Amino acid sequence: SYELTQPPSVSVSPGQTARITCSGDALPKKYAYWYQQKSGQAPVLVIYEDSKRPSGIPERFSGSSSGTMATLTISGAQVEDEADYYCYSTDSSGNHRGVFGGGTKLTVL
Amino acid sequence: QVQLVQSGAEVKKPGASVKVSCKASGYTFTSYGISWVRQAPGQGLEWMGWISAYNGNTNYAQKLQGRVTMTTDTSTSTAYMELRSLRSDDTAVYYCARSSVADTTGLDYWGQGTLVTVSS
């Protein structure tokens, strides 16, 4: 079955740039979406269709995609950005099933 | 504003069924789909499936085929997810999320989650 691969953890100091990657064979053909999940809360969409930012999401969040890798970038990470981040996309094999990456724990300290 | 409000926590015995509801408001229900996602304790997000509120088309995760049914009631703007033959590893928080009407993309707004505990 189709898989998206993320690093388990990323750590940065406040004000630094955090980059979280997501790799998958179908990403050249399918959009990536990124979700932030803080402890005990529902996920929140932070990037859709590879690089678009929903209203209300700070400008420091950006996304890009090239080849089989999508990247979420947090420029000038803040302590409040500490959370789990998940990428999401769909299979291109014809069944169009959804799949989440395993998640990346971002630590900002 | 878009809101998805889910039903309350459930405790079920192994082998039983559970039906979780997700009531939508703040948008035209039939112009979107609903995806269901679950999260076991301490684990990541798992996509369960999708239903179009426009025409009832569904797409289920392969591992849940035969045990899960997703439906909608357009008269009340409510989506339902029923999971049968529950096992202990079905213990999780279950989320609904608004999605594209045509396919499994675009999960934008999420419900608050429903904890389902499967225990004898």
Side-chain angles (χ1 to χ4, degrees):
Chain A
S1 60
Y2 184 52
E3 293 183 353
L4 295 173
T5 301
Q6 298 180 234
S9 63
V10 168
S11 183
V12 297
S13 299
Q16 288 189 326
T17 295
R19 292 182 180 85
I20 300 171
T21 58
C22 172
S23 65
D25 290 342
L27 289 178
K29 302 177 210 170
K30 296 293 185 178
Y31 285 127
Y33 298 75
W34 289 94
Y35 298 90
Q36 176 193 69
Q37 187 181 35
K38 297 184 177 179
S39 182
Q41 298 182 18
V44 172
L45 178 68
V46 294
I47 293 290
Y48 67 101
E49 294 181 355
D50 291 345
S51 59
K52 298 176 183 176
R53 193 174 54 248
S55 61
I57 299 301
E59 290 185 10
R60 63 180 180 271
F61 288 87
S62 63
S64 62
S65 187
S66 178
T68 60
M69 185 168 289
T71 302
L72 172 68
T73 301
I74 308 172
S75 303
Q78 306 295 309
V79 172
E80 60 262 33
D81 299 332
E82 189 163 292
D84 294 322
Y85 290 84
Y86 295 90
C87 61
Y88 172 84
S89 189
T90 55
D91 195 341
S92 65
S93 67
N95 59 44
H96 304 294
R97 291 188 174 119
V99 62
F100 285 94
T104 298
K105 171 66 178 178
L106 174 66
T107 301
V108 183
L109 52 74
Chain B
Q1 72 285 18
V2 174
Q3 277 195 305
L4 298 173
V5 178
Q6 299 183 221
S7 49
E10 304 260 14
V11 179
K12 296 291 182 181
K13 294 194 183 303
S17 299
V18 69
K19 192 170 187 176
V20 179
S21 67
C22 170
K23 184 168 176 60
S25 61
Y27 70 96
T28 302
F29 185 65
T30 51
S31 294
Y32 291 85
I34 294 287
S35 293
W36 289 89
V37 176
R38 69 180 180 178
Q39 187 170 36
Q43 303 300 308
L45 301 174
E46 178 186 11
W47 181 81
M48 299 179 67
W50 161 90
I51 181 167
S52 170
Y54 174 70
N55 57 18
N57 285 352
T58 55
N59 190 341
Y60 300 141
Q62 191 167 11
K63 68 176 286 189
L64 296 175
Q65 288 268 13
R67 285 207 301 139
V68 69
T69 301
M70 296 175 188
T71 56
T72 60
D73 181 345
T74 57
S75 68
T76 60
S77 299
T78 303
Y80 299 92
M81 185 284 301
E82 181 181 33
L83 189 60
R84 299 176 293 278
S85 302
L86 289 168
R87 309 187 288 248
S88 58
D89 62 356
D90 292 317
T91 294
V93 176
Y94 288 75
Y95 294 101
C96 61
R98 192 180 75 164
S99 304
S100 165
V101 70
D103 59 29
T104 55
T105 61
L107 287 68
D108 52 8
Y109 292 90
W110 292 60
Q112 83 276 20
T114 297
L115 175 62
V116 175
T117 303
V118 182
S119 174
S120 55

